[in-house]
Amino acid sequence: MIKDRMFDNSMNECHIYRLIVRVSDLVTLRFCVPEEVVAETPNEHRSNRSMLRELLELFCPKVSFSCLKPALSTPKVEELLMKIDETPMYTRYKIGILLCKAGQQTEEEMYNNQKSSDAFDEFLDFLGRRVCLKDFDKYKGGLDTRGDTTGTHSLFADYAGNEIMFHVSTLLPFTPSNKQQLSRKRHIGNDMVTVIFQEPGSLPFKAVTMRSHFQHVFIIVRVDNACTEHVTYRVAVSRAKSVPAFGPAIPEGGRFTKNTKFKNFLLTKILNAENAVQRSKRFAYLTSRTRREALKDLADKYVQPPVNEGAAKLASRILGGSVRRRERMLPRPISDYCLRGAFSWVVEVQDHSTGQRSQCVLGISVDTLVLLEPPTGAVIFATSTQSILGWTNGEFGFKIYFDHGEIIAIRCLSATDGDAEHQALIKRLEAVTNGAETKELMFKKQKGQAELGFTIEDEGIVTSVEMGHLAWIAGLRQGSRVVEIGPSPVVTLTKDQMSQILTEADSIRLLVIAQSSDGSLGVDVLIHDVL
């Protein structure tokens, strides 16, 4: 526990207490408490011990203060705590890649592909870079970097601060006399995530043909028009029942062109797949057990020697716990939505990949918006608050738009007043992001009228609006951003699809985030008929 000095929006000095509580179930609780919440007596007359007791009783009533022991103030303790906090964090990944040629379907057929193909080589060069294993100084993923016993080259990728070593079947040693190809399977078969690259003519993938206890997720990539300017890839995912769903969601059809956007999508999907496996029941238990043992070792070996019991504690023991405790006042609500600490809400999130809703904890700090999975506290989603474009508080829930127009659809769960929770969420977003609430525009075209009088580019950016036309009259201005056309999010539409909808529809609904400062979108709904 530490006490920080800070200033509010009016530059008045105030103090906050920061408290971190680590428990064994992969959960680390962090609290930021204004002094006014607990300052019932002058601070100079209170010890850190009594203040810590009060904070725990207010915010962690299930944690018994009597079972806590003061830790030694040594660098070793700080080092061990850092290791405990970093236990669930992964920055190095090993991923398997299998080639499935035309007419193939089984594991044995894929492992026995001795040579690569032009389509497979094109995909590998697109996904990462080939490296010589001899004296390779980055993450090797269990491969031999001295004697070339696992091949001379492999595929490696640096992405978003992570190191990924791919175990490529055709780059691992091939043994003609061994149908099971154990020299390949001992690497790929022990990878939790495997990419199956299917060439045209290959049979549908069946996960039951893969005989491994470690492979939990298969990402199937099927190529069309390989080695041409029109090459495309289709993506599908097969995962074990114990593995939770993970993003990014595959768009309808699952077809991608060969570009940087697809590469980022695929690498993100691969990393999230392994992170999802780590959150599955089996692996979460192992991680939780490791964390529990580390905390127990810390509590046994690095604590201060016991001190004499105080009079109050002694009296409580003698009188059988009958000493009365004074009633605690509930903390007053904090109205300053600019505080740096995270504000949190219990929400229901729409999972677009499965069509189901799941309960999460939404946290918004000055820098980051995160979704956490209860009760493990695992991070399901995170993005910078600077990427927030805007939000909509609609009849069917709350939507947050970020990055290129992607959507998080949530609903605050409150036993009292959900609308009040949504309003508090809006105030927090207004305080820490550059986004704005969306406005709805509706156009009704007359028969035979085709032009709306504005130009829209990729990601819904309005690049021009002709004065006097329908869009101008409705209040649309250059620089605005359209995030929804009708019921469809713009991020799911191509430029041609947007143009087709805007041209063919008689009645058009646009959800817009205004970028101009003239207040042209200052009303909720504008409906115009043009003669």
Side-chain angles (χ1 to χ4, degrees), residues 99 101 113-124 130 168-171 184 197 199:
L99 170 61
K101 293 186 176 182
N113 286 322
Q114 182 176 0
K115 296 183 179 180
S116 182
S117 65
D118 293 340
F120 192 41
D121 287 338
E122 179 187 29
F123 174 72
L124 295 180
R130 298 181 190 237
V168 184
S169 59
T170 55
L171 296 179
R184 293 178 170 183
F197 181 81
E199 293 186 343

Side-chain angles (χ1 to χ4, degrees), residues 48-234:
N48 286 338
R49 186 177 179 86
S50 65
M51 182 62 70
L52 179 59
R53 179 194 292 271
E54 183 166 353
L55 289 173
L56 284 174
E57 290 176 351
L58 282 172
F59 298 100
C60 299
K62 293 184 179 180
V63 177
S64 174
F65 182 79
S66 61
C67 72
L68 300 181
K69 304 173 184 177
L72 296 175
S73 181
T74 63
K76 181 65 175 179
V77 172
E78 295 180 4
E79 179 185 346
L80 292 174
L81 287 174
M82 286 291 292
K83 288 183 178 180
I84 291 173
D85 288 342
E86 294 173 355
T87 298
M89 298 175 62
Y90 304 96
T91 58
R92 292 180 168 183
Y93 299 80
K94 54 188 184 74
I95 307 296
I97 303 183
L98 282 170
L99 170 61
C100 184
K101 293 186 176 182
Q104 294 182 347
Q105 184 183 49
T106 66
E107 174 188 74
E108 187 174 296
E109 291 171 334
M110 288 185 269
Y111 276 116
N112 278 277
N113 286 322
Q114 182 176 0
K115 296 183 179 180
S116 182
S117 65
D118 293 340
F120 192 41
D121 287 338
E122 179 187 29
F123 174 72
L124 295 180
D125 294 336
F126 167 71
L127 189 62
R129 58 185 174 91
R130 298 181 190 237
V131 295
C132 178
L133 289 176
K134 193 75 171 180
D135 299 325
F136 185 65
D137 59 354
K138 291 192 175 182
Y139 180 57
K140 58 185 180 181
L143 299 179
D144 182 12
T145 58
R146 294 184 179 180
D148 292 339
T149 60
T150 56
T152 59
H153 292 77
S154 190
L155 191 72
F156 182 82
D158 282 303
Y159 179 68
N162 300 286
E163 296 181 358
I164 310 171
M165 177 59 78
F166 293 96
H167 295 153
V168 184
S169 59
T170 55
L171 296 179
L172 292 169
F174 177 79
T175 308
S177 59
N178 187 349
K179 289 185 178 181
Q180 292 185 344
Q181 296 300 327
L182 295 180
S183 59
R184 293 178 170 183
K185 190 172 182 178
R186 73 184 182 94
H187 291 287
I188 300 176
N190 287 318
D191 293 332
M192 291 184 287
V193 179
T194 305
V195 177
I196 307 295
F197 181 81
Q198 292 183 327
E199 293 186 343
S202 60
L203 300 179
F205 174 75
K206 294 183 179 179
V208 293
T209 65
M210 312 300 290
R211 299 183 296 273
S212 171
H213 295 292
F214 291 93
Q215 292 171 303
H216 284 65
V217 177
F218 297 95
I219 299 178
I220 301 94
V221 180
R222 191 177 185 91
V223 64
D224 292 311
N225 303 316
C227 302
T228 68
E229 295 181 357
H230 306 290
V231 59
T232 59
Y233 298 97
R234 284 177 286 170

